[in-house]
Amino acid sequence: DPMRRDLFERFLPEELRRVVLGQSIDARKLLAMSGSAERGKVLFGAICTACHRVNGQGTDFGPDLSHIASKWKRPELLEQILFPSKVIDPQWQLTTVTTTSGESKAGFVVARDGSGLKLKMAGGEMAQIANAEISKTSTERVSMMPEGLLQNLTASEAADLLQFLGSLK
């Protein structure tokens, strides 16, 4: 489990610690590496399922990635992870709704009609907001997926994750 491993790593001698990618990620080197889809699946389960689903497993919040390799090749998959706001399909643009009571809710609009809108929020929670309760809405062309998700992975782990994502056709 990556979370447990990271808790205890500081007690290891320097030469036995993992060398993580950090902020300077060389995409060409990562793409030249081959990884293990099996190990990548474990990493996906530990990191990505907080927002994404694959074959019915994970959280129904962000895009379902069950067939992501049919849409993006490996270099584009890496770019999507490194720069999640670069290309965003309209249904995944962040919408913030401010209610008449001053409360703000942010997520993805999944339905909108004459009576109001349905907003999918973090964790997969849904909010039905009536038009009478909406003071203001704004939509941003920004991804809710955080940047820097690979920074705490080793190059080998990142290659494993890419291998797994690349196998999802």
Side-chain angles (χ1 to χ4, degrees), residues 98-110:
T98 305
T99 64
T100 53
S101 65
E103 183 182 9
S104 287
K105 296 182 180 199
F108 309 119
V109 176
V110 293

Side-chain angles (χ1 to χ4, degrees), residues 130-147:
N131 281 338
E133 297 174 28
I134 298 174
S135 171
K136 179 177 129 183
T137 62
S138 63
T139 300
E140 305 282 332
R141 199 187 157 291
V142 64
S143 176
M144 289 199 56
M145 183 168 146
E147 291 189 9

Side-chain angles (χ1 to χ4, degrees), residues 31-83:
L31 291 170
M33 296 176 70
S34 61
S36 160
E38 187 175 306
R39 288 191 307 262
K41 183 177 182 179
V42 173
L43 283 167
F44 183 88
I47 300 167
C48 308
T49 57
C51 296
H52 296 284
R53 294 178 70 113
V54 165
N55 302 321
Q57 301 295 312
T59 303
D60 183 18
F61 177 57
D64 186 314
L65 302 180
S66 298
H67 304 288
I68 195 67
S70 298
K71 181 176 181 176
W72 303 103
K73 290 182 170 53
R74 204 163 180 257
E76 290 85 15
L77 285 170
L78 178 58
E79 186 173 54
Q80 285 291 107
I81 296 168
L82 294 175
F83 309 106

Side-chain angles (χ1 to χ4, degrees), residues 21 29-37 39-40 43 74 150 153-165:
L21 292 169
K29 280 186 182 178
L30 275 181
L31 291 170
M33 296 176 70
S34 61
S36 160
R39 288 191 307 262
L43 283 167
R74 204 163 180 257
L150 299 181
L153 299 182
T154 66
S156 176
E157 291 168 336
D160 292 342
L161 183 60
L162 278 175
Q163 190 71 32
F164 172 67
L165 292 171

